[in-house]
């Protein structure tokens, strides 16, 4: 998208810089710290100038001379202007070192007092600029900072490029930013790279994701925006941070929020970006584009059907002006940027918009789309329009598009007369429930709260309260005051009371941490629902009761699950994440039936995706990831976990639980530092929400990540808290969290073998009672380490061998590999280079990269020292004392840097990405107070010599 030349990116406060730019900053810092140059490029408003300023401020600290210029389009015709900005203040300090012809030509160009031109003094000027940079570099490092390269006057650009290509090994770095708008942008990028030093790294600033846009808006004070509004801002801005902030500002200043189906208010500052090109279109062509902007999926055929007879020629002209993108593979019409469509629609009058919607209400082939356009073309209440919208909403719901259904339902409510049946409030409540299904919790809550100000019938009020409670998610403590009001509205109606008591069961669990009380409330809710003939609520209550009994190790759990699975079933509840299907999956995976668990959860995930049930999709993504992780498919589990985390971030649903599980997946198959960060985030969120159930799970994930990182003392602190919490909550089934073996192994590492054996004995008693075979095998693995620590090597080897075999037969690939790893560490015979071969093979089969790095480090240590320490579960990577304060991955990367490995070589050896290496090095520099790879070597060498 091309914009006016005088539209500049404003300065932003520092915290904005890293939103969505973490990897970019790491790569840029690595490049600059190594003496290289950097070219930042991207479209207008994407944040180039902000990034440039931040990097320049950091890099200037290590430079002796900093040269700056920032060009503008209005001044780009003035020759040598950028060169004057760069050299005007420093040329006098080195002019005496220039040959006379060069000095004369350069002074003439910089002062304008002569008639110097590239045609007349080209060679002298080129050599003069090169000589000045060489002279400055001889005194110390030089940093050239140039913004908006696209507006550099041609003479300055030519001279700067000539010098840049000949800098060689001189300590001169260039930090530049340029606007690239073409598609593909590499066409412009390459042109500017040819005018840069050979070691220049080109970094493109990409659009922000929806979650990053939400974070940016919140940081700038635009809080309280619903997820659907943020979604609209992100879509309209195309992820451009400047455009998103301008839209957020316009929304904050608008006296009224846009109605459903209406676009966001587009401020004049953004409309002006495209209006100049729109003025080059005829009035008829503008009307054609307006119809296209109003359509959901415009095509030339649709425009013809809407009465735009010259659509081909008019859209071709618009494309030549850069307003439309050329679609090579589809017949669709796509605007070059969503902002163009939004500005075009915003600039039109109300009458022009209605005319466009009238045309599309008959032209569109989809009945849902026709109904939407009919509503937007109609003013005031109209029962026929409302009825058509209600039918369209039902069709969208059946198609698995609850978000669309919610929007249509709100439009239907707007056009429904007060005395109609169903009335406007009934339609709003249905829209609130549709929004909840679509994962738009804040929108559903707002609709329900609005309805509560008007509805008076108990059934409608309780229905609205249920939406408010459900929208709170795990943070149920925030709506604690709702329950007395809901109970009062329910009165003695068993159907309404069943709904409230079901939510009270969740409150008992999440707010009070009372699992027994939650089970009792669920049982009461099931009885009330059965009496009222409300089968969906009865099934949900039975599912909750069965879930509590499963976690408690209650003997009634199998019977309750069977009751919940009896016919008749409600199709929607059957696939709900709180329904019997989900409870059955949990029972299967806790009972080591991994294959059947995978089949069950895959079918559930497929169904909720078909129905558009976003919260259930999130739960089942995590469930499938958990199944793959238990099976030892760490790469697949990590992909699924990261997908679930993106969905959680996008919707704001279940972020604590999803961060917790993604931490487990990262620790198994990804990045240990990321695993630690996610686990700490999950702990913080669970504590903020007052969610004791997920707090125990989050602490379990943190303890596991700390185990993989080699911090045994921290593992013990975290998992002792989990043990206390689960005792308090009444959770007795060790297959729920599976942290017990980790705690025992960490206790062995810190010498607390008595406590380790106590954990093993207590857990074994419960696992034997419930028949948890995999838990028993893991406990045997831990007990073998206790024995090895006591010097009982032969019994430990026999117990580990048997545990590895059992875990392999049960299908727990990662746990089998961990047993092989422990076995290699406690063998009584002298370990050699092949002692860890079996563990290496098994970890590689699982793609358990963090564990693989640990076992390879242990094998190397065994080869060097000639022996392996008994029960050394996670041998430390040898590192100089100067690096002892670093995390495991940071020490490994630093150690390889000292060996002279490149970032790509480090990535290959540690099975991580180059970007992860760069980010890790950035943390190492910060922690050690150094600036480059060379400093790591110097620091380590200094400590050794000392």
């Amino acid at each position: 998208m091309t914009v006016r030349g005088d539209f500049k990116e404003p300065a932003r406060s520092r915290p904005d810089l890293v939103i969505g730019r973490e990897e970019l900053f790491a790569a840029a810092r690595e490049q600059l710290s190594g003496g290289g140059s950097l070219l930042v490029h991207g479209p207008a408003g994407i944040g180039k100038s902000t990034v440039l300023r931040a990097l320049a401020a950091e890099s200037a600290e290590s430079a002796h001379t900093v040269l700056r210029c920032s060009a503008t389009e209005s001044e780009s015709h003035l020759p040598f202007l950028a060169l004057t900005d760069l050299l005007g203040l420093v040329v006098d300090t080195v002019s005496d070192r220039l040959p006379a012809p060069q000095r004369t030509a350069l002074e003439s160009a910089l002062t304008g007092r002569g008639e110097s031109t590239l045609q007349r003094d080209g060679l002298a000027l080129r050599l003069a600029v090169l000589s000045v940079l060489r002279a400055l570099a001889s005194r110390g490092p030089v940093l050239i900072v140039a913004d908006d390269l696209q507006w550099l006057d041609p003479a300055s650009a030519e001279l700067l490029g000539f010098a840049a290509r000949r800098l060689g090994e001189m300590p001169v770095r260039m930090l530049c930013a340029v606007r690239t708008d073409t598609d593909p942008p590499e066409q412009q990028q390459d042109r500017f790279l040819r005018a840069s030093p050979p070691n220049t790294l080109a970094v493109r600033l990409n659009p922000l994701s929806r979650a990053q846009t939400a974070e940016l808006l919140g940081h700038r004070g635009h809080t309280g925006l619903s997820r659907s509004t943020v979604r609209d801002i992100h879509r309209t801005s195309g992820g451009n941070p400047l455009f998103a902030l301008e839209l957020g500002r316009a929304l904050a200043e608008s006296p009224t929020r846009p109605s459903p189906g209406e676009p966001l208010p587009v401020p004049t500052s953004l409309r002006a970006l495209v209006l100049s090109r729109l003025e080059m279109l005829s009035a008829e062509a503008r009307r054609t584009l307006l119809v296209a902007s109003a359509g959901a999926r415009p095509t030339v055929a649709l425009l013809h059907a809407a009465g735009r007879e010259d659509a081909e020629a008019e859209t071709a002209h618009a494309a030549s002006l850069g307003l439309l993108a050329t679609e090579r593979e589809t017949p669709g019409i796509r605007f070059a940027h969503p902002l163009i469509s939004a500005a075009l629609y915003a600039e039109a009058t109300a009458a022009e918009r209605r005319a466009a919607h009238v045309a599309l209400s008959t032209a569109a082939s989809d009945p849902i789309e026709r109904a939407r356009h009919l509503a937007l073309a109609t003013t005031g209440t109209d029962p026929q329009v409302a009825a058509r919208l209600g039918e369209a909403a039902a069709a969208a719901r059946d198609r698995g598009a609850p978000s669309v259904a919610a929007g249509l339902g709100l439009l239907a409510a707007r056009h429904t007369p007060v005395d109609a049946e169903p009335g406007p409030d009934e339609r709003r409540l249905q829209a609130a429930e549709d929004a909840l299904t679509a994962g738009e919790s804040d929108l559903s809550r707002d609709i329900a709260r609005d309805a509560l100000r008007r509805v008076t019938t108990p059934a409608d009020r309780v229905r609205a309260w249920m939406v408010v409670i459900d929208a709170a998610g795990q943070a149920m403590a925030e709506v604690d005051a709702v329950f007395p009001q809901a109970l009062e509205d329910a009165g003695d109606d068993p159907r309404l009371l069943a709904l409230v008591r079901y939510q009270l069961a969740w409150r008992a669990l999440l707010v009070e941490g009372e699992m027994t009380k939650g089970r009792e409330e669920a049982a009461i809710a099931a009885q009330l629902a059965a009496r009222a003939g409300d089968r969906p609520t009865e099934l949900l209550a039975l599912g909750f009761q069965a879930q509590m009994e499963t976690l408690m190790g209650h003997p009634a759990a199998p019977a309750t699950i069977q009751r919940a699975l009896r016919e008749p079933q409600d199709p929607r509840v059957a696939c709900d994440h709180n329904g019997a299907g989900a409870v059955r999956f949990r029972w299967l995976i806790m009972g080591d039936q991994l294959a059947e668990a995978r089949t069950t959860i895959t079918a559930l995930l497929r169904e909720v995706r078909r129905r558009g049930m976003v919260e259930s999709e999130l739960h089942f993504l995590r469930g499938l990831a958990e199944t793959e992780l238990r099976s030892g498919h760490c790469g697949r589990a990590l992909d699924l976990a990261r997908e679930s985390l993106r969905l959680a971030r996008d919707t704001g649903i279940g972020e604590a639980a999803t961060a917790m599980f993604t931490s487990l997946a990262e620790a198994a198959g990804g990045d240990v530092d990321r695993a630690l960060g996610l686990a700490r985030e999950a702990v913080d969120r669970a504590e903020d929400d007052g969610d004791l159930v997920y707090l125990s799970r989050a602490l379990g994930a943190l303890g596991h990540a700390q185990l993989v990182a080699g911090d045994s003392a921290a593992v013990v602190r975290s998992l002792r808290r989990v043990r206390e919490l689960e005792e308090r909550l009444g959770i007795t089934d060790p297959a729920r969290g599976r942290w017990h073996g980790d705690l025992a192994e960490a206790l062995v590492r810190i010498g607390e073998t008595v406590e380790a054996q106590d954990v093993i004995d207590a857990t074994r008693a419960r696992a034997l009672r419930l028949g948890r075979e995999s838990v028993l095998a893991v406990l045997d693995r831990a007990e073998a380490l206790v024995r090895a620590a006591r010097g009982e090597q032969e019994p430990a080897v026999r117990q580990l061998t048997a545990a590895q075999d059992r875990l392999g037969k049960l299908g727990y690939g990662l746990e089998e590999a961990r047993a092989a790893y422990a076995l290699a560490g406690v063998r009584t015979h002298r370990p050699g280079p092949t002692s860890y071969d079996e563990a290496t093979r098994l970890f590689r089969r699982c793609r358990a990269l963090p564990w693989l790095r640990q076992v390879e480090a242990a094998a190397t240590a065994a080869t060097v020292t000639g022996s392996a320490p008994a029960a050394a579960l996670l041998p430390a990577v040898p590192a100089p004392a100067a690096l002892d304060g670093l995390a495991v991955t940071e020490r490994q990367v630093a150690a390889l840097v000292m060996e002279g490995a490149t970032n790509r070589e480090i990535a290959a050896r540690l099975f991580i990405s180059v970007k992860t290496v760069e980010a890790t090095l950035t943390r190492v520099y910060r922690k050690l107070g150094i600036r480059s790879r060379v400093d790591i070597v110097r620091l380590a060498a200094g400590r050794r010599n000392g």
Side-chain angles (χ1 to χ4, degrees):
M1 177 183 175
T2 304
V3 300
R4 294 184 327 187
D6 59 351
F7 190 80
K8 298 290 290 182
E9 301 167 9
R12 303 178 191 169
S13 57
R14 181 61 184 271
D16 286 355
L17 297 177
V18 296
I19 296 176
R21 310 297 191 203
E22 294 85 354
E23 291 189 356
L24 180 148
F25 266 82
R29 286 167 178 149
E30 172 73 8
Q31 172 73 2
L32 293 168
S33 65
S37 295
L38 189 74
L39 177 68
V40 180
H41 67 103
I46 203 69
K48 302 181 300 299
S49 297
T50 306
V51 169
L52 192 74
R53 280 190 293 271
L55 291 172
E58 293 179 5
S59 302
E61 298 175 5
S62 61
H64 182 272
T65 305
V66 180
L67 309 176
R68 301 176 187 270
C69 73
S70 182
T72 62
E73 184 181 17
S74 60
E75 297 173 339
S76 61
H77 66 285
L78 300 174
F80 306 119
L81 182 60
L83 190 67
T84 302
D85 289 341
L86 285 170
L87 304 181
L89 298 178
V90 299
V91 69
D92 289 344
T93 65
V94 295
S95 61
D96 58 336
R97 300 174 62 177
L98 272 61
Q102 295 180 21
R103 184 169 59 250
T104 301
L106 185 58
E107 288 177 352
S108 176
L110 296 181
T111 63
R113 289 194 291 267
E115 297 181 358
S116 182
T117 65
L118 277 180
Q119 289 73 25
R120 193 181 74 179
D121 302 317
L123 181 59
L125 279 172
R126 288 175 172 85
L127 294 175
V129 174
L130 183 59
S131 297
V132 168
L133 293 177
R134 284 174 173 166
L136 292 171
S138 68
R139 301 177 178 179
V142 176
L143 176 67
I144 299 173
V145 182
D147 198 1
D148 282 319
L149 282 185
Q150 74 278 2
W151 303 134
L152 247 63
D153 61 275
S156 296
E158 168 61 27
L159 294 172
L160 194 59
F162 175 87
R165 293 189 293 272
R166 291 162 177 80
L167 290 175
E169 297 300 318
M170 289 188 295
V172 179
R173 293 170 296 167
M174 292 184 66
L175 177 55
C176 305
V178 62
R179 182 182 302 175
T180 50
D181 300 310
T182 58
D183 190 14
E186 290 74 14
Q187 295 175 6
Q188 291 187 44
Q189 169 198 323
D190 291 344
R191 176 165 64 90
F192 290 104
L193 274 176
R194 287 193 292 271
S196 304
N199 63 346
T200 299
L201 172 68
V203 178
R204 180 168 178 82
L205 283 181
N206 291 316
L208 300 180
S209 68
R210 190 192 303 181
Q212 291 161 353
T213 299
E215 184 181 355
L216 176 64
L217 289 165
H219 181 259
R220 287 302 192 90
H222 300 302
T223 55
L225 297 175
S226 68
R227 295 266 169 180
S228 57
T229 300
V230 172
R231 178 193 62 203
D232 291 342
I233 290 176
H234 179 258
R235 183 180 63 241
T236 303
S237 68
N240 185 298
L242 179 61
F243 297 172
L245 289 172
E246 286 291 293
L247 290 166
R249 180 183 58 79
L251 198 62
E253 294 174 354
S254 176
T256 58
R257 295 292 173 91
S259 299
E262 293 182 351
L264 297 171
V266 180
T268 304
S269 60
L270 295 185
R271 294 189 202 183
L273 300 183
V274 296
L275 291 182
S276 58
R277 280 174 293 153
L278 287 173
E279 291 172 357
M280 301 173 68
L281 294 172
S282 67
E284 288 300 313
R286 287 188 63 166
R287 277 192 279 273
T288 295
L289 288 193
L290 176 61
V291 174
S293 72
R297 292 172 296 278
T299 62
V300 172
L302 177 65
L303 294 177
H304 278 308
R308 311 311 303 165
E309 297 177 355
D310 296 326
E312 289 97 335
E314 290 164 347
T315 54
H317 185 207
S320 70
L321 295 174
L323 295 166
L324 297 178
T326 303
E327 295 286 358
R328 297 182 178 85
E329 299 178 356
T330 65
I333 294 172
R334 181 170 64 87
F335 285 89
H337 191 281
L339 184 63
I340 298 174
S341 174
L344 178 66
Y345 192 91
E347 192 68 15
T349 65
E352 289 172 334
R353 294 182 198 174
R354 283 197 297 272
H357 288 297
V358 166
L360 289 168
S361 67
T362 57
S365 59
D366 183 68
I368 293 176
E369 190 66 12
R370 287 199 302 271
R372 186 180 74 87
H373 287 300
L374 179 62
L376 295 173
T378 304
T379 57
T381 60
D382 186 319
Q384 291 184 338
V385 171
R388 285 187 58 180
L389 285 166
E391 294 168 359
R397 200 175 302 119
D398 291 342
R399 290 184 187 179
S403 181
V404 174
L408 292 168
L410 289 175
L411 283 172
R414 187 204 303 177
H415 293 292
T416 300
V418 176
D419 57 351
E421 184 62 37
D425 288 324
E426 162 69 17
R427 294 195 188 278
R428 288 190 186 93
L429 287 173
Q430 180 61 62
E433 291 167 350
D434 287 331
L436 195 63
T437 300
E440 298 179 11
S441 302
D442 46 1
L443 176 62
S444 65
R445 179 199 60 230
D446 292 346
I447 298 171
R449 290 279 190 188
D450 179 61
L452 281 165
R453 286 192 284 269
R454 287 187 303 272
V455 297
T456 57
T457 62
D460 285 345
R461 291 188 62 79
V462 170
R463 184 178 179 187
W465 288 128
M466 294 305 99
V467 172
V468 171
I469 293 170
D470 277 332
Q474 302 297 125
M476 192 170 276
E478 295 178 2
V479 294
D480 218 22
V482 164
F483 288 96
Q485 300 174 67
L487 281 170
E488 182 179 348
D489 285 330
D492 56 2
D493 185 323
R495 185 177 68 84
L496 301 181
L497 275 174
L499 291 170
V500 181
R501 297 303 286 265
Y502 172 67
Q503 296 290 3
L504 282 170
W506 279 104
R507 181 188 176 279
L509 176 66
L510 298 178
V511 179
E512 300 178 38
E514 294 286 346
M515 197 166 288
T516 300
K517 183 177 179 181
R519 172 181 176 268
E520 293 169 353
E521 288 284 4
I524 294 171
Q527 293 168 5
L528 287 167
R531 192 195 318 165
D534 182 357
R535 183 62 172 164
T537 302
E538 181 188 7
L539 291 170
L540 285 172
L542 287 171
F544 183 91
Q545 181 183 344
Q547 183 179 354
M548 293 304 97
E549 291 172 350
T550 299
L551 295 177
M552 295 165 63
H554 197 286
T560 306
I561 293 175
Q562 288 304 315
R563 285 176 61 199
L565 289 171
R566 287 178 194 154
E567 296 294 340
Q569 288 289 318
D570 180 87
R572 191 185 183 286
V573 174
C575 63
D576 188 274
H577 60 281
N578 291 320
V583 176
R584 180 173 179 272
F585 160 74
R586 181 58 48 195
W587 178 264
L588 290 169
I589 200 167
M590 292 174 70
D592 302 325
Q593 300 179 60
L594 297 181
E596 192 172 353
R598 181 184 292 106
T599 301
T600 299
I601 199 69
T602 301
L604 287 168
L605 179 59
R606 185 185 306 115
E607 180 62 15
V608 297
R609 279 177 165 167
R610 187 186 70 80
R611 291 174 174 267
M613 299 167 64
V614 173
E615 186 173 3
S616 294
E617 178 184 357
L618 180 60
H619 276 262
F620 296 151
L621 270 173
R622 291 201 306 257
L624 182 56
E626 181 181 358
T627 308
E628 299 296 352
L629 189 57
R630 298 271 176 256
S631 302
H633 305 150
C634 297
R636 171 68 173 152
L638 184 59
D639 289 342
L640 289 164
R642 287 176 175 173
E643 181 184 352
S644 70
L645 186 61
R646 285 192 295 270
L647 183 59
R649 300 276 197 236
D650 197 33
T651 61
I653 297 173
E655 290 187 78
T658 311
M660 174 274 298
F661 188 79
T662 307
S663 171
L664 293 173
E666 290 283 358
D671 182 89
V672 180
D673 290 330
R674 190 178 294 122
L676 288 165
L678 287 167
R680 291 188 180 106
E681 175 194 337
V683 170
D684 290 343
R685 284 181 175 272
E687 288 180 329
D688 289 344
D689 292 342
D691 186 344
L692 299 178
V693 175
Y694 269 113
L695 177 58
S696 69
R697 294 295 306 271
L699 285 167
L702 178 58
H704 183 74
Q706 290 164 336
L707 181 78
V708 180
D711 191 349
S712 299
V715 176
V716 172
R717 288 194 297 273
S718 297
L719 298 186
R720 277 175 176 165
R721 284 189 66 192
V722 177
R723 192 179 188 189
E724 294 169 1
L725 271 171
E726 293 203 349
E727 290 294 336
R728 173 181 165 188
L729 290 166
I731 297 173
T732 61
D733 195 329
R736 184 252 187 178
R738 298 178 181 268
W739 48 267
H740 313 77
D742 287 350
L743 175 55
E745 291 174 4
L747 286 166
V748 171
R749 287 292 305 274
I750 66 172
E752 298 286 348
T753 55
V754 174
E755 184 180 351
Q757 189 63 55
D758 176 66
V759 170
I760 293 167
D761 291 343
T763 308
R764 180 179 282 133
R766 292 174 173 176
L768 283 169
R769 179 173 63 82
L770 297 170
R772 303 308 193 206
E773 289 297 322
S774 63
V775 173
L776 290 168
V778 167
L779 292 173
D780 282 349
R781 183 183 69 204
E783 188 172 54
L785 294 175
V786 174
R787 289 182 169 180
R790 293 172 177 168
E792 303 171 18
Q793 301 298 309
E794 287 302 329
V797 168
R798 289 195 297 271
Q799 193 168 18
L800 279 170
T801 302
Q804 179 184 341
D805 182 62
R806 288 168 65 195
L807 288 166
K809 289 178 179 177
L810 287 168
Y812 284 78
L814 182 58
E815 299 296 350
E816 177 191 5
R818 286 182 61 182
Y821 181 19
L823 181 61
V826 300
R827 287 190 183 278
T828 54
H829 60 77
R830 178 185 175 88
T834 61
S835 298
Y836 289 89
D837 284 357
E838 175 69 358
T840 299
R841 181 185 69 81
L842 292 174
F843 281 131
R844 185 170 286 124
R845 184 184 69 183
C846 294
R847 290 200 72 243
L849 304 185
W851 287 103
L852 188 59
R853 289 191 288 272
Q854 296 290 351
V855 74
E856 288 180 344
T860 300
T863 302
V864 171
T865 63
S867 63
L873 180 65
L874 295 173
V877 179
L883 308 181
D884 286 348
L886 302 178
V888 172
T889 302
E890 293 166 352
R891 291 203 306 274
Q892 292 172 328
V893 170
L896 291 172
V897 167
M898 287 186 288
E899 294 178 11
T902 66
N903 286 1
R904 192 169 297 280
E905 291 168 342
I906 294 171
R909 291 176 65 175
L910 296 183
F911 300 93
I912 57 179
S913 70
V914 174
K915 288 184 177 179
T916 299
V917 174
E918 293 165 350
T920 303
L921 277 173
T922 299
R923 292 195 299 274
V924 170
Y925 298 155
R926 183 178 64 253
K927 289 183 179 180
L928 299 182
I930 59 179
R931 297 181 181 278
S932 68
R933 301 164 64 93
V934 174
D935 290 334
I936 294 179
V937 179
R938 288 174 179 165
L939 182 62
R943 290 296 180 93
R944 284 196 296 268
N945 294 336

